[in-house]
């Protein structure tokens, strides 16, 4: 829960005095056994539950009387709400696990190591939990997710196959944390050497290894900070890139420009021997620049990149080393530094994400290890860490607080049981009200390439500062819905001026073509993706428009119009119509939409249908909605429910989970979409079947099982939304109960 009045802050400290003797014994057992017993203990774990989950009441039979089903759904909902209310923190949000990617912790640990702050920032207990986590996710024979691939490596994310990126960086991380060459480490080392050694790690890995003295800077493609000096009219100006690419390549270009390498010690020298198949100094660094292990290759460099980087590497870089051009480099570095400082200060040293958090921290340190900036960075490291039963991980963000809370409110309201669960709503309402970003970040926004943020919401906490279109949309929907509840139940409604700010911000974020991107307007061209140097990620260079973002905005503006019919009516109506057209335009031939932030076609199709309905289109008058419903219905599993694999995201083809198992979150999304479209009045059977899956999946304590990973970014990396397993079954069953069961009685 929060500390120091930072609303929504999540922070873990070890306190040996807490817990009953039984709990302590239990926890010690789990922790001491780490990397021998691993998941085999029955400790209540997201992952263990995933392994060992057996439906508690799967004996429930075929044809229940409607009456009985009604009661069963209601019982399930009550139990689910009671359980979920117990997870709520005092300041109103639901702390949760936002882990999944495996390339984040290494950045942090390497960053802390080179700044000599490992033991300052992280207690021994933190380090122990981090090691436990890393060992727990090594791909081994017992490993649930990859039984076919028992090779001792690590993936890009917890469900992925082994990659050089994951394996080499995790290996290095464990060594920096003090591990020696035990059996597990040797397996990992073998994995790396079998593939010709660490030379072929993808570019972001090359980067971190260079900082650590394990890779030569000449083996990296250039990351010239001079880009920041170019005129903004050029499409490839960093100010026109997706903010995440901009904010990651900013500190990278700073460290590259300085060719920073930590001082070599015996550990680093030993690692040079452990990780290379041929002697370190005989490596051909020029070829190394473009090498990438086949396991890691998701987005192969187009030829134009090889030409571009080759030119920059062989011609531009040597020139920039010499006077007077070296002056230019100095100037570029000082401009980059200014942007780094701006990012640090406007995010309270949290930074926009986990990658630039660690990088910026190193940048501050190399300029002045005793700076206030650096110590402020250290103070915000723990905001990214999350302790779960599989150990301590670095999350994909400083939490998913506002995002989850906004969905949770809508889910709880859908049950119509809010009389009973009013306290939960009141607390969540306060949280959302308290997390609205009240002011723009400081200075001339344009100079810092920032969109305004006043009136918006972030994905996590207001301290993070970066507002997002759909986070604003979902939060706005939540507060608007709450404002229609009696204040005795939901608390005081948000005042109109604050809602106007949100609407104003949203209207400013619509692109020419009607679609909405994530944090900013789309500022440049899709062909720039050709210069995406990150082999493991797709579509990172510009802020594209997304069906999810576009729909969330439509829904919120439509809801706003209901409460404030007169306010900027013309603009809002036009915005919604254009946005809905955009959604229809990007519908795929099979009636679905591709999801960029959740798995995958089910997620996006849910969003699309909700957006189109909110724009006033209906099943009856919209061919698009009918095709979308047909798509969803065609994917329903034989025994009911929907279950989509993360492979859909990377291959862009709808893929069922292995064994055609249903996934409760996919099932809930599909149900929500079909209910919203009114399919129940035509044939409610698919909904009855889906509801049954959800009801039967519930655990005895009211929780739902943690199943396969359900979030994604940049096509290829998965991320856990652990709150979804509670939120979406509640939401879908809530709608099902009130809009299907009670209506068709
Ligand atoms: C997120 C998390 C939230 C997510 C939604 C709001 C769900 C989405 O609808 C819009 C995009 C957004 C804001 C988003 C963008 C990419 C993020 C920030 C992440 C998936 C969390 C982690 C990821 C970030 C890019 C991870 C670092 C990796 C890089 C390639 C820079």
């Amino acid at each position: 829960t929060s500390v120091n009045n930072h609303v929504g802050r999540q922070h873990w400290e070890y306190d040996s005095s807490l817990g009953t003797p039984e709990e302590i014994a239990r926890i010690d057992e789990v922790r001491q056994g780490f990397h021998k017993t691993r998941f085999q203990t029955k400790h209540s774990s997201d992952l263990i539950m995933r392994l060992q989950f057996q439906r508690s009441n799967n004996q429930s039979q075929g044809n229940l009387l409607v009456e009985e089903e009604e009661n069963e759904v209601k019982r399930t909902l009550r139990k689910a709400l009671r359980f979920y209310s117990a997870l709520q923190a005092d300041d109103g949000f639901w702390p949760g696990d936002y882990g999944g990617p495996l390339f984040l912790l290494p950045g942090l640990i390497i960053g802390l190591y080179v700044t000599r702050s490992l033991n300052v920032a992280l207690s021994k207990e933190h380090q122990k939990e981090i090691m436990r986590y890393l060992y727990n996710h090594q791909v081994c024979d017992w490993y649930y997710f990859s039984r076919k691939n028992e090779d001792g490596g690590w993936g890009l994310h917890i469900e992925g196959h082994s990659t050089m990126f994951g394996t080499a960086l995790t290996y290095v991380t464990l060594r920096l944390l003090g591990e020696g060459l035990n059996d597990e480490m040797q397996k990992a080392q073998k994995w790396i050497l079998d593939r010709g050694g660490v030379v072929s790690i993808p570019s972001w890995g090359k980067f971190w290894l260079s900082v650590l003295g394990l890779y030569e800077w000449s083996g990296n493609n250039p990351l010239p900070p001079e880009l920041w000096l170019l005129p903004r009219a050029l499409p490839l100006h960093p100010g026109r890139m997706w903010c995440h690419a901009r904010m990651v390549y900013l500190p990278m270009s700073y460290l590259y420009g300085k060719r920073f390498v930590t001082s070599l010690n015996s550990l680093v020298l030993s690692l040079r021997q452990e990780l290379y198949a041929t002697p370190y100094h005989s490596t051909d660094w020029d070829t190394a620049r473009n090498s990438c292990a086949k396991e890691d290759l998701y987005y192969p460099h187009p030829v134009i990149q090889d030409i571009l980087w080759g030119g920059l590497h062989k011609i531009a870089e040597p020139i920039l080393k010499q006077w007077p051009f070296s002056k230019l480099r100095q100037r570029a570095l000082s401009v980059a530094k200014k942007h780094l400082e701006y990012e640090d200060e406007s995010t309270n040293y949290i930074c926009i994400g986990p990658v630039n958090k660690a990088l910026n921290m190193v940048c501050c340190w190399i300029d002045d290890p005793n700076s206030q900036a650096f110590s402020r960075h250290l103070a915000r490291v723990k905001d990214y860490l999350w302790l779960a039963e599989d150990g301590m991980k670095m999350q994909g963000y400083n939490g998913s607080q506002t995002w989850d809370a906004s969905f949770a409110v809508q889910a709880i309201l859908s049950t119509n049981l809010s009389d009973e669960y009013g306290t939960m709503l009141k607390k969540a309402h306060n949280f959302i009200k308290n997390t609205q970003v009240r002011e723009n970040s400081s200075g001339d926004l344009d100079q810092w390439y920032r969109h305004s943020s006043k009136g918006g919401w972030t994905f996590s906490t207001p301290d993070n500062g970066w507002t997002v279109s759909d986070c604003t949309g979902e939060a706005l929907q939540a507060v608007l819905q709450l404002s229609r509840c009696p204040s005795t139940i939901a608390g005081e409604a948000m005042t109109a001026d604050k809602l106007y700010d949100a609407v104003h911000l949203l209207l400013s974020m619509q692109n020419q073509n009607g679609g909405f991107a994530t944090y900013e307007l789309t500022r440049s061209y899709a062909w720039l993706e050709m210069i995406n140097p990150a082999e493991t990620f797709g579509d990172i260079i510009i802020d594209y428009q997304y069906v999810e973002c576009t729909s969330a905005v439509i829904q919120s503006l439509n809801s706003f119009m209901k409460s404030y019919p007169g306010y900027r009516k013309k603009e809002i109506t036009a915005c919604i119509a254009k946005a809905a057209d955009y959604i229809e335009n990007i519908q795929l031939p099979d009636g679905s939409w591709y999801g960029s932030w959740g798995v995958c076609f089910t997620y996006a199709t849910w969003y699309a249908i909700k957006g189109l309905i909110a724009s006033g289109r209906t099943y009856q008058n919209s061919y698009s909605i009918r095709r979308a419903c047909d798509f969803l219905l065609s994917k329903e599993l034989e025994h009911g429910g929907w279950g989509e694999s993360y492979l859909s995201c990377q291959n862009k083809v709808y893929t069922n989970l292995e064994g055609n198992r249903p996934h409760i979150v996919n099932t809930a999304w599909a149900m929500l979409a079909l209910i919203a479209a009114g399919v129940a009045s035509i044939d409610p059977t698919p909904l009855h079947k889906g509801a049954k899956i959800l009801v039967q999946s519930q655990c005895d304590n009211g929780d739902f099982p943690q199943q396969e990973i359900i979030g994604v970014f940049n096509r290829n990396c998965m991320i856990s939304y652990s709150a979804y397993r509670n939120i979406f079954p509640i939401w879908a069953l809530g709608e099902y109960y009130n809009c299907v069961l009670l209506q068709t009685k």
Side-chain angles (χ1 to χ4, degrees):
T1 63
S2 75
V3 274
N4 308 337
N5 276 334
H6 294 278
V7 62
R9 190 179 193 184
Q10 310 179 145
H11 217 150
W12 182 76
E13 294 298 344
Y14 181 71
D15 184 342
S16 57
S17 67
L18 287 180
T20 66
E22 294 78 25
E23 280 166 349
I24 293 173
R26 184 88 219 100
I27 287 168
D28 281 351
E29 193 187 316
V30 173
R31 297 180 75 221
Q32 274 162 19
F34 92 88
H35 93 79
K36 286 202 191 68
T37 49
R38 294 183 178 144
F39 293 138
Q40 276 148 22
T41 57
K42 272 222 172 189
H43 194 62
S44 150
S45 152
D46 283 349
L47 291 164
I48 289 171
M49 276 164 48
R50 188 187 302 205
L51 286 173
Q52 295 169 342
F53 172 69
Q54 235 125 48
R55 277 191 248 130
S56 45
N57 52 351
N58 54 1
Q59 62 275 59
S60 130
Q61 329 250 291
N63 295 330
L64 294 166
L65 296 171
V66 175
E67 198 76 348
E68 246 175 73
E69 184 175 10
E70 201 182 299
N71 286 331
E72 204 179 341
V73 173
K74 206 161 181 175
R75 242 195 334 268
T76 308
L77 280 172
R78 286 223 169 89
K79 235 165 105 173
L81 287 171
R82 207 173 316 129
F83 175 82
Y84 202 47
S85 71
L87 298 185
Q88 194 178 23
D90 290 341
D91 41 1
F93 73 107
W94 285 266
D97 184 338
Y98 195 49
L102 291 176
F103 65 97
L104 303 174
L105 257 182
L108 180 67
I109 301 300
I110 294 173
L112 290 173
Y113 185 82
V114 302
T115 58
R116 323 239 188 294
S117 307
L118 207 42
N119 296 320
V120 184
L122 302 176
S123 72
K124 277 289 162 221
E125 300 300 331
H126 283 86
Q127 296 181 34
K128 223 156 124 185
E129 286 297 335
I130 286 173
M131 291 195 274
R132 194 163 70 82
Y133 175 74
L134 294 176
Y135 280 119
N136 271 337
H137 289 284
Q138 189 172 21
V139 180
C140 283
D141 43 6
W142 50 267
Y143 201 65
Y144 171 75
F145 307 118
S146 317
R147 282 199 198 101
K148 283 173 254 122
N149 199 4
E150 306 156 2
D151 57 7
W154 281 269
L156 178 64
H157 55 83
I158 55 170
E159 293 194 24
H161 63 267
S162 298
T163 59
M164 187 61 80
F165 196 28
T167 307
L169 285 185
T170 306
Y171 181 93
V172 168
T173 304
L174 282 165
R175 293 287 280 126
L176 298 182
L177 287 167
E179 290 293 277
L181 296 181
N182 57 36
D183 288 355
E184 279 79 6
M185 292 292 274
Q186 281 178 22
K187 260 188 225 154
Q189 187 191 22
K190 182 168 181 310
W191 194 96
I192 297 164
L193 295 178
D194 282 351
R195 282 153 189 83
V198 79
V199 227
S200 64
I201 194 168
S203 57
W204 289 22
K206 296 189 204 308
F207 182 90
W208 274 120
L209 295 183
S210 302
V211 166
L212 198 56
L214 289 178
Y215 213 93
E216 291 300 302
W217 280 114
S218 59
N220 285 256
N221 277 322
L223 296 158
E226 285 74 19
L227 280 185
W228 290 88
L229 303 177
L230 296 174
R232 199 174 177 177
L234 286 181
L236 58 66
H237 188 281
R240 301 177 60 174
M241 293 177 177
W242 188 35
C243 52
H244 277 282
R246 174 161 86 238
M247 285 301 149
V248 166
Y249 283 105
L250 172 66
M252 280 191 173
S253 68
Y254 190 72
L255 294 168
Y256 174 81
K258 297 211 157 190
R259 303 290 197 278
F260 170 76
V261 184
T262 189
S263 50
L264 303 183
N265 59 22
S266 57
L267 178 56
V268 172
L269 293 176
S270 167
L271 280 166
R272 283 185 177 182
Q273 290 187 344
E274 292 163 35
L275 294 170
Y276 284 84
T278 52
Y280 183 78
H281 288 291
S282 67
T283 309
D284 176 355
W285 296 112
D286 194 41
T287 337
R289 286 186 299 115
N290 292 319
S291 65
C292 179
K294 66 174 193 312
E295 289 80 357
D296 295 63
L297 204 54
Y298 180 69
Y299 180 74
H301 289 176
V303 194
I304 184 161
Q305 271 197 44
D306 297 347
I307 300 171
L308 186 67
W309 308 140
L312 286 174
H313 183 74
K314 294 200 175 108
I315 302 164
E317 281 299 319
I319 296 180
L320 281 161
K321 282 209 181 101
Q322 284 163 26
W323 194 87
F325 300 101
S326 52
K327 286 250 179 242
L328 192 65
R329 169 108 332 161
Q330 290 318 312
R331 224 182 89 58
L333 286 172
S334 78
V335 170
K337 190 70 214 275
K338 289 263 171 333
H339 287 286
L340 282 165
E341 284 165 4
Y342 186 81
E343 162 72 351
D344 283 346
E345 278 160 29
S346 58
T347 63
N348 298 286
Y349 295 83
I350 291 171
C351 296
I352 194 175
V355 179
N356 79 326
K357 162 69 189 172
L359 290 166
N360 284 20
M361 188 174 77
V362 175
C363 295
C364 289
W365 184 85
I366 65 173
D367 286 341
D368 179 3
N370 300 315
S371 61
Q372 201 174 38
F374 180 65
S375 38
R376 288 189 169 159
H377 258 296
L378 287 184
R380 287 304 212 157
V381 164
K382 286 176 185 159
D383 291 60
Y384 277 98
L385 301 178
W386 178 264
L387 181 73
E389 297 75 11
D390 53 345
M392 177 165 271
K393 59 203 72 181
M394 187 172 198
Q395 304 191 95
Y397 224 63
N398 64 318
S400 51
Q401 296 88 329
T402 306
W403 183 249
D404 289 340
S406 309
F407 275 150
V409 163
Q410 297 176 66
I412 298 165
L413 286 172
S414 80
T415 65
N416 216 2
L417 296 169
S418 36
D419 292 359
E420 296 166 50
Y421 296 97
T423 353
M424 183 157 54
L425 280 178
K426 220 181 252 171
K427 276 164 74 180
H429 195 182
N430 277 332
F431 181 75
I432 302 177
K433 284 187 282 188
N434 289 336
T435 47
Q436 188 183 33
V437 173
R438 296 257 182 270
E439 293 302 330
N440 286 331
S441 15
S442 64
D444 171 10
L445 296 181
D446 210 48
Q447 181 195 345
W448 303 107
Y449 312 111
R450 282 279 225 147
H451 198 93
S452 52
S453 39
K454 181 175 178 184
W457 276 270
T458 70
F459 181 70
S460 54
T461 61
D463 273 2
N464 167 286
W466 282 90
T467 53
V468 189
S469 63
D470 57 358
C471 300
T472 304
E474 295 299 343
L476 183 57
Q477 280 189 81
V479 291
L480 284 165
Q481 287 186 21
L482 286 163
S483 73
R484 295 180 201 124
C485 299
S487 62
T488 42
I489 292 176
E492 285 306 314
M494 210 158 175
T495 54
D497 55 323
K498 293 187 176 127
L499 300 174
Y500 296 164
D501 286 344
V503 169
H504 182 73
L505 178 68
L506 289 177
L507 289 174
S508 78
M509 292 186 78
Q510 188 169 38
N511 289 287
Q512 286 295 315
N513 67 356
F516 284 77
T518 60
Y519 297 74
E520 295 161 342
L521 288 164
T522 306
R523 297 176 178 176
S524 202
Y525 308 98
W527 53 260
L528 272 173
E529 209 56 53
M530 282 192 310
I531 60 155
N532 167 11
E535 304 87 340
T536 34
F537 303 113
D539 294 342
I540 65 168
I541 297 294
I542 63 164
D543 203 343
Y544 297 87
Q545 300 102 39
Y546 298 98
V547 57
E548 297 97 318
C549 300
T550 309
S551 164
V553 174
I554 296 180
Q555 293 179 54
S556 63
L557 290 180
N558 176 51
S559 178
F560 173 81
M561 257 197 323
K562 282 195 189 132
S563 294
Y564 299 85
Y567 186 80
R568 297 185 69 174
K569 184 167 184 195
K570 252 204 188 136
E571 286 153 278
I572 295 178
T573 327
C575 169
I576 291 180
K578 220 170 145 185
D581 286 344
Y582 167 79
I583 292 183
E584 285 194 357
N585 286 338
I586 60 164
Q587 186 171 24
L588 297 168
D590 66 359
S592 71
W593 284 262
Y594 174 79
S596 297
W597 310 107
V599 178
C600 176
F601 296 93
T602 331
Y603 182 60
T605 305
W606 164 58
Y607 251 125
I609 290 181
K610 291 277 285 199
L612 292 175
I613 299 278
S615 78
R617 300 170 201 205
T618 64
Y619 186 88
Q620 283 68 28
N621 71 21
S622 161
Y623 177 50
S624 174
I625 295 180
R626 285 200 297 278
R627 282 201 299 144
C629 292
D630 288 345
F631 168 81
L632 287 175
L633 292 170
S634 76
K635 298 297 177 195
E636 191 181 26
L637 299 166
E638 197 189 329
H639 301 293
W642 286 257
E644 202 179 346
S645 159
Y646 80 85
L647 296 171
S648 285
C649 306
Q650 60 188 53
N651 301 334
K652 305 194 179 173
V653 179
Y654 189 98
T655 314
N656 275 337
L657 284 173
E658 236 175 275
N660 294 337
R661 278 169 294 120
H663 191 299
I664 49 172
V665 179
N666 292 128
T667 301
W669 286 334
M671 287 175 64
L672 285 166
L674 293 172
I675 296 171
V679 167
S681 59
I682 303 161
D683 177 13
T685 323
L687 295 166
H688 292 321
K689 280 162 78 181
K692 206 161 127 194
I693 297 278
L694 297 182
V695 169
Q696 291 178 345
S697 299
Q698 192 177 37
C699 310
D700 286 339
N701 63 357
D703 195 2
F704 287 87
Q706 177 61 57
Q707 299 171 314
E708 286 78 359
I709 202 154
I710 203 75
V712 63
F713 58 89
N714 301 119
R715 314 286 171 254
N716 196 33
C717 191
M718 309 311 296
I719 189 159
S720 311
Y721 284 79
S722 54
Y724 282 10
R725 73 169 188 266
N726 303 107
I727 293 172
F728 286 103
I730 292 175
W731 196 344
L733 286 176
E735 297 276 337
Y736 172 75
Y737 184 78
N738 292 297
C739 307
V740 182
L741 279 189
L742 294 190
Q743 302 306 318
T744 54
K745 221 160 94 176

